[in-house]
Amino acid sequence: MKRTLTVCVLIATLALPMSAQSLKGMALNGATGLISVPSGRIGWEHSADIGIDFGYHAVLEDDTFHIPKASISLFQLAEFAAAYDVQEDSDNSDILFNGKIQLPTAGTAVALGGNVQVVTSGGEDLSYRQLYLAATYPGRVFDMPAETTVVVGKTFGDNVSDNDIDFGMGFDVLLFPDVFQGYIHWVNDFANFSYSFDPRGADAGQRGVFNTGVRIDLAASPSLSKFKFVVDAIVTDALDANRAFTLGAVFGITLR
């Protein structure tokens, strides 16, 4: 709990309201967001009525775990995503479905979202459902453009206490834009929930999970500006002994 309060206070202190640049990458579960935390944005808001993203993350722990994913954004309003969390073998792999609707707010992006998780553990199928409200607002961190995301929600399902409340917070910093020309983002999040109720390398457990890394925006190049092309290099659960390294990429196109 002390670590949760310390990280959240640090984020809130650093992220002062000012202008920022948005990068709509994928969280590990396929939703548009940071790493474990979904954001208040959808994949192709303000840019296309129909957009499709394809993503993949490899979690390098003792073994390598694979998370392919895809999402579709509709009418600059809603997003639906699915991910397949391939674990030790097909008998323990999980299916994650996500959806969110962006509310008509100005300045701050606010979305009402949820997910359904079909988790297989020891040959038994367990079901979890999460509802959340996510808000993403512009700011600055160390005088660099940034966006801060705050998420509050509730998970329902097997072995979940009725009194538990989900909370997550993080920021996406456009890192030294004069030096890196808008290509490099520093992405962080901290939450008492993870991308899945049965995660690999990003287990919230009793201490919460802090993830950090860089997100490279290859679409900052003029030749790729009509696409989404993001590369991730992330340390998940960075403050605990079971930390893992995660590599991933997201590619997106518009259909209309």
Side-chain angles (χ1 to χ4, degrees), residues 18-64:
M18 294 184 72
S19 61
Q21 178 173 331
S22 173
L23 175 60
K24 304 174 188 70
M26 275 183 169
L28 292 179
N29 65 2
T32 297
L34 299 172
I35 302 170
S36 288
V37 171
S39 72
R41 299 196 175 279
I42 60 174
W44 290 91
E45 64 182 31
H46 311 312
S47 55
D49 284 340
I50 301 177
I52 298 179
D53 293 342
F54 301 95
Y56 166 81
H57 284 88
V59 181
L60 310 177
E61 204 179 22
D62 294 332
D63 295 308
T64 300

Side-chain angles (χ1 to χ4, degrees), residues 43-44 47-53 71-76 78-80 228 252-256:
W44 290 91
S47 55
D49 284 340
I50 301 177
I52 298 179
D53 293 342
S71 72
I72 183 169
S73 300
L74 300 174
F75 311 117
Q76 306 179 40
E79 171 187 284
F80 301 95
K228 179 185 296 182
I253 59 173
T254 60
L255 301 182
R256 193 176 72 184

Side-chain angles (χ1 to χ4, degrees), residues 37 47 58 71 81 88 99 154 166 170 179 183 191 214 232 254:
V37 171
S47 55
S71 72
E88 291 89 347
K154 181 74 178 77
D166 297 337
V179 176
Y183 284 92
V214 295
D232 287 344
T254 60

Side-chain angles (χ1 to χ4, degrees), residues 242-255:
N242 63 334
R243 65 186 60 85
F245 187 58
T246 300
L247 292 174
V250 175
F251 179 77
I253 59 173
T254 60
L255 301 182

